[in-house]
Amino acid sequence: LCLLASQVATATAQDSGPGFSSPAETAELTALEESATRAYQQRQYSESFQAYSALSETGNPRFQTILGIMYRYGEGTALNPAEAFLLFSQAADQDYPPAQYALAEMLLKGEGVDTDLDEGIAWLKKASANGHTRAGEKLREYQLQGVNNPALSRNWDLRLPNEFRMPGALISSAVPRYR
């Protein structure tokens, strides 16, 4: 979370995303963002939560994601995984990779929603395609485990001997029978 807060602190308000329009509004939002980040870093979560609540109303996916994280972990507010999921969904729909990753995590773990491996893996794929490194790593972990990957599951040789799979079929006498 501190990493996310520092990323927000170093990001500039020249985003091409929603939430920044006129230079005056940009300056105001930048000041509010800096204040929110400073409060978060000083563990003044209630103050930070209020500022990020106002910032997320701009529709900027970064602010929606940060507010979602605060709801998810109960920082400056009560734990509210359903609200976190909603905010992550809104930001993920704007192709914001950190939100896509957080949404995938919630779906894969069943936090605030029913566990949905297929949808979780789909969001991991989107986040990875959009450059989110941890999403790519997590996706590889799931693929190595064979989760949602039928090709890997088919590598197991679970076939029964022919006499059990095809009763009455002619079996060559050259093939030893095991009884």
Side-chain angles (χ1 to χ4, degrees):
L1 296 175
C2 290
L3 175 63
L4 182 61
S6 67
Q7 289 173 344
V8 170
T10 58
T12 63
Q14 284 101 12
D15 271 343
S16 58
F20 298 107
S21 52
S22 71
E25 185 179 47
T26 300
E28 185 179 322
L29 290 172
T30 301
L32 185 56
E33 177 184 8
E34 289 171 359
S35 171
T37 302
R38 204 171 24 262
Y40 187 91
Q41 290 171 336
Q42 295 170 356
R43 296 192 171 137
Q44 297 171 348
Y45 297 124
S46 294
E47 182 181 325
S48 181
F49 177 80
Q50 290 175 355
Y52 279 119
S53 293
L55 287 165
S56 73
E57 290 177 11
T58 65
N60 184 293
R62 186 176 65 229
F63 300 143
Q64 291 171 328
T65 302
I66 294 168
L67 188 62
I69 289 169
M70 295 183 85
Y71 274 115
R72 185 177 183 188
Y73 296 108
E75 296 174 329
T77 187
L79 281 171
N80 190 339
E83 187 65 23
F85 187 83
L86 176 67
L87 287 161
F88 291 148
S89 296
Q90 291 170 352
D93 286 340
Q94 296 179 63
D95 286 330
Y96 189 61
Q100 292 171 332
Y101 178 76
L103 190 61
E105 276 192 323
M106 292 188 80
L107 286 161
L108 294 169
K109 294 177 183 178
E111 287 181 41
V113 294
D114 292 334
T115 301
D116 188 336
L117 290 179
D118 291 334
E119 191 174 347
I121 298 276
W123 281 111
L124 276 181
K125 287 178 181 177
K126 288 178 186 179
S128 179
N130 285 327
H132 196 278
T133 306
R134 281 186 290 166
E137 292 167 0
K138 181 73 82 174
L139 188 57
R140 282 186 289 284
E141 286 176 32
Y142 276 100
Q143 289 171 335
L144 288 174
Q145 295 170 7
V147 174
N148 200 30
N149 191 336
L152 287 176
S153 299
R154 288 186 196 120
N155 288 336
W156 292 95
D157 187 10
L158 300 175
R159 292 177 290 172
L160 294 170
N162 286 338
E163 61 259 61
F164 293 108
R165 286 189 306 124
M166 298 177 284
L170 290 176
I171 299 174
S172 168
S173 60
V175 177
R177 292 184 185 211
Y178 298 96
R179 295 199 189 253

